Amino acid sequence: MKKTKLFSLIALVLAMLMVFAACTPKTNEGKETSNDGTTTGQNTENQTEDTTGEPVTITYCNFNSSGGNEETLAKMVEVFEAEYPNIKVDVETIGFDDYFTQMQTRVAGGTAPDCYELNIENFAAYANKGLLAEITGVDVSGLNETTLSAFNVDGKQYGLPESFSNVVLIYNKDLFDQAGVAYPTDDWTQDDVQAAAEKIRALGEDIYGIWQPITYNEFFKVVAQYGGSLLNEDKTAFTINSPENLKAAQVLVDRVLVSNVQPNAVQQGGMGDWDMFMSGRLGMIPTGIWAFQTFTEGCDFAWDIVVEPGSTQKATHFFSNCVVMNPETQHPEEVATWLAWLASSTTSADIRLEAGWDLPALKDLDALSSYLEVTPPDNREAVFKSLDYLVMPPVIEDYALMSDIIGQKLAAAAEGSITVQEALDQAQAECEAQIKLG
């Protein structure tokens, strides 16, 4: 072959290679890769780049904005899309009463959205059935570790805490002053609560020291405060009538039937616990932080809060909604970017706080300064201190049946129709007979 023909052929091949290289998309541009090959979320704008030039649209379904915060969520989406113009979020809002029925049907039918909201009660069931994708590649270090761990299963993050609420001990400062009792502190135990309740009860025939509903939801928490549990560690057996649980239930019931620091059904006169507290007739009430606005508007006396007292240990309720990813989504990076922004960005938190819509689960209290500055209560820091003592109900397939059985037996004990021992023994026997564990 002549040299001129050879050079011409080489030139042609090189030209073709250059064209091919120019047309090949740079899929890893802007990403950082960890030692295990996992892409980190350092440059989400490049991560979500659509080579067609069109923004990627993801679908997000929720229940929590229904009934008053649809515009708040719409504002969040607007701000997010301005920050990430290559991602569009198509929002669907369904009322709470219909949400989980619809979601269950859509997940089973393969028509679930790219991402959606779950409450903490349903999260475990979805995760354990393999219906959720692990959320990776985004920075969630700004989220509170305790709330984040609630949605971590076997070391994998299947949900991000979108918001949270918890329970604190709210107390009437005026009644404490009248009874000559020092205000509750973080060191208080259930014994301290009982002693204060008795002194407040002595103030008058229609004054009561505390009202802690004797229900399943309160019971599993108080059980934890006394070192007990309703199931053994591997959830293969019920432990409802254990000595620790018996002591916890006895404390609750005795406040009604023995010391009467808590009103019985007749003494309540059809009044609820919140109403009695706002009437100035109740010294203490363990209830949710969602009561703050109502009490601020309805109480004409000074009140404040403290971390719930425990016994052998502290324990308090935790309520949270999380956001999760559909494992069938075609846009996992875009979904993860949206979910991380929604849950952990200070911009999203500011919009949520301004609207008074739940509490973002951020680690940095400075980012929540606007919440901490609102009074009453003065001791709002107790809301975040309580996060160190969160306890969740045992999640089993027949959760509703278990809670109904235990709740009915506790109600009978509170009325005095059966003893506490009989109530827990009967609950143990009925749960064993009707519910299969493991």
Side-chain angles (χ1 to χ4, degrees), residues 24-201:
T24 303
K26 299 178 181 180
T27 55
N28 288 323
E29 183 177 359
K31 295 183 181 180
E32 295 183 11
T33 305
S34 62
N35 293 333
D36 63 359
T38 303
T39 302
T40 66
Q42 296 300 314
N43 191 339
T44 51
E45 290 187 1
N46 284 332
Q47 282 184 36
T48 56
E49 182 178 359
D50 190 323
T51 56
T52 65
E54 295 293 328
V56 169
T57 298
I58 60 175
T59 53
Y60 172 66
C61 193
N62 81 105
F63 60 87
N64 201 29
S65 71
S66 64
N69 278 293
E70 293 93 338
E71 292 184 4
T72 304
L73 181 57
K75 184 177 180 180
M76 290 178 175
V77 171
E78 181 182 356
V79 173
F80 171 80
E81 290 179 346
E83 188 173 343
Y84 297 91
N86 50 337
I87 307 175
K88 298 298 179 184
V89 182
D90 186 4
V91 173
E92 180 182 5
T93 299
I94 302 174
F96 182 83
D97 291 341
D98 299 322
Y99 182 84
F100 292 100
T101 300
Q102 288 197 34
M103 195 56 62
Q104 188 175 34
T105 300
R106 291 165 68 172
V107 168
T111 60
D114 293 303
C115 49
Y116 51 97
E117 185 179 41
L118 287 176
N119 59 9
I120 198 167
E121 294 86 352
N122 283 280
F123 167 77
Y126 277 66
N128 291 336
K129 292 178 181 178
L131 302 176
L132 306 178
E134 183 183 4
I135 299 173
T136 61
V138 287
D139 182 11
V140 293
S141 60
L143 289 168
N144 177 278
E145 290 91 345
T146 305
T147 58
L148 193 62
S149 66
F151 305 106
N152 189 294
V153 180
D154 296 330
K156 295 183 178 181
Q157 201 67 48
Y158 288 108
L160 301 181
E162 173 199 18
S163 60
F164 80 92
S165 297
N166 56 8
V167 170
V168 292
L169 182 69
I170 304 181
Y171 62 96
N172 182 326
K173 297 175 76 173
D174 288 3
L175 288 181
F176 270 76
D177 290 342
Q178 293 174 35
V181 180
Y183 299 149
T185 69
D186 289 346
D187 297 327
W188 266 33
T189 67
Q190 287 287 1
D191 291 338
D192 296 309
V193 170
Q194 181 65 28
E198 291 176 4
K199 291 182 179 180
I200 292 171
R201 179 71 176 97

